[in-house]
Amino acid sequence: MPDDMVEAHIRGVRKAVAAGWTVLERGGSSVDAVEEAIVMMEDDDTFDAGRGSFLNREGRVQLDALIMDGATLRAGGVGCVERLRNPVRAARKILSESPHVYFVAEGAERFAAEHGIDLCQNEDLVIPREIENLRRFQAEASRHDSVKDGNYLFTPEMTHDTVGAVALDRDGNIAAATSTGGTLNKAPGRLGDSSLIGCGCYADNQSAAVSTTGWGEPIMKLVLAKWTADRVAAGNLPDWAAREAMNYLEQRLNGHGGIIVLNAQGQFGIAHNTPRMAWAIKTKSIEEAGVERD
Ligand code: ASP
């Protein structure tokens, strides 16, 4: 995250964890909890999700989100949507009310509208900070080869503000959700890892709930969320699996990112190989938020 936004990130993740906790405390499901946590961050301009997301190279916001229920393996995903303030709400409707799992672009927006979700204008999602961010990036692109050939995506300095949440409810069920505006200056129609099952998000009570952030293409190639969940299913602790996932990402494809992992016993892991990542956690006995630095 940019240096001047560290405090805003900590405030944002604190609010998200409080929103999720409110659901769990009154006996709500882990799916409801992750949905509310993600909505809180989509509504916060700080993050690359919902309003305030990175712009694609045409200056438009294009959003992806996925939510998954570890009890049933039901999932809902949307990709490349441009008129939804809260893509995770549409993803949730797909999970609960559709025989399908994934909708994209206008079809996803139509599904959302038919299920009572208001559409907005794309301009409603665009903020001045991101117009300036894109302008600066594109001005540099004409000067630096690494930007021209796409290698800038390798640099850990490239910020990633995708949001993710994992939760365990009192019935012992886990869930995960991830929402993003993707990468800055992406090509229109480019879909990242965040909304793809097993890449940016996964949940199965028999293994783990996982959400990832970072440079999406390597994460997709490694199907990293499912890779991590499989390590937990094989008997490893989520903390170990999270750290191994970051090692694997870096060693295999020189990728960078972050991951949160939770199993149905309440054991969790948080890891990243970027300079820092904001996180917040709440259990009956712990309440913490912070920015982890490498
Ligand atoms: N993983 C996201 C993507 O590649 C970006 C991010 O995490 O910031 O779309």
Side-chain angles (χ1 to χ4, degrees):
M1 68 199 76
D3 290 340
D4 57 352
M5 290 182 70
V6 173
E7 287 310 314
H9 277 78
I10 296 176
R11 270 198 307 277
V13 293
R14 260 190 219 285
K15 275 164 46 189
V17 99
W21 188 257
T22 302
V23 173
L24 295 172
E25 217 173 19
R26 56 163 200 256
S29 71
S30 53
V31 181
D32 286 339
V34 293
E35 180 181 353
E36 295 313 317
I38 294 289
V39 163
M40 190 57 84
M41 294 186 280
E42 288 176 338
D43 286 345
D44 185 337
D45 289 0
T46 304
F47 300 105
D48 179 30
R51 185 169 185 275
S53 286
F54 289 144
L55 302 180
N56 71 12
R57 72 172 180 223
E58 291 178 347
R60 293 178 73 78
V61 167
Q62 222 169 46
L63 305 169
D64 312 324
L66 184 88
I67 185 165
M68 188 159 179
D69 176 3
T72 60
L73 300 194
R74 290 187 74 170
V78 294
C80 297
V81 292
E82 297 193 351
R83 295 190 299 154
L84 293 173
R85 281 185 186 277
N86 295 110
V88 75
R89 291 260 191 247
R92 174 58 196 272
K93 288 277 183 200
I94 295 167
L95 180 153
S96 307
E97 295 178 31
S98 171
H100 305 306
V101 167
Y102 206 97
F103 286 75
V104 296
E106 289 92 7
E109 291 164 0
R110 196 180 323 148
F111 176 92
E114 285 167 4
H115 289 79
I117 295 176
D118 289 337
L119 300 184
C120 65
Q121 296 302 312
N122 195 256
E123 300 78 64
D124 300 335
L125 305 173
V126 177
I127 63 170
R129 179 192 74 214
E130 292 308 320
I131 295 175
E132 175 53 22
N133 217 358
L134 181 68
R135 190 202 59 73
R136 204 174 330 115
F137 185 88
Q138 291 184 336
E140 294 221 341
S142 52
R143 290 198 293 275
H144 295 300
D145 286 346
S146 71
V147 177
K148 267 189 262 174
D149 63 20
N151 280 338
Y152 69 90
L153 289 166
F154 275 103
T155 63
E157 290 74 33
M158 186 76 193
T159 62
H160 294 284
D161 288 330
T162 291
V163 301
V166 290
L168 166 65
D169 62 32
R170 61 176 67 167
D171 294 328
N173 295 319
I174 51 176
T178 306
S179 180
T180 190
T183 47
L184 176 61
N185 198 48
K186 67 184 178 181
R190 175 267 187 191
L191 191 77
D193 60 309
S194 307
S195 64
L196 296 179
I197 288 193
C199 298
C201 185
Y202 195 72
D204 181 348
N205 280 1
Q206 293 181 9
S207 53
V210 181
S211 177
T212 70
T213 179
W215 176 28
E217 278 73 8
I219 294 172
M220 286 157 76
K221 291 171 190 169
L222 298 176
V223 199
L224 197 63
K226 180 68 162 67
W227 185 95
T228 310
D230 287 346
R231 265 74 206 156
V232 178
N236 300 293
L237 286 172
D239 177 48
W240 180 89
R243 283 184 284 113
E244 272 308 293
M246 291 299 100
N247 292 338
Y248 179 46
L249 178 65
E250 188 160 333
Q251 282 160 16
R252 186 72 183 90
L253 287 174
N254 196 22
H256 61 263
I259 192 164
I260 53 176
V261 186
L262 173 70
N263 67 11
Q265 289 70 50
Q267 295 162 315
F268 63 90
I270 302 169
H272 59 106
N273 65 345
T274 51
R276 53 198 173 197
M277 181 172 85
W279 54 269
I281 181 160
K282 188 165 165 71
T283 70
K284 278 192 181 142
S285 51
I286 311 172
E287 183 170 357
E288 276 178 56
V291 170
E292 256 197 33
R293 291 163 213 271
D294 270 352

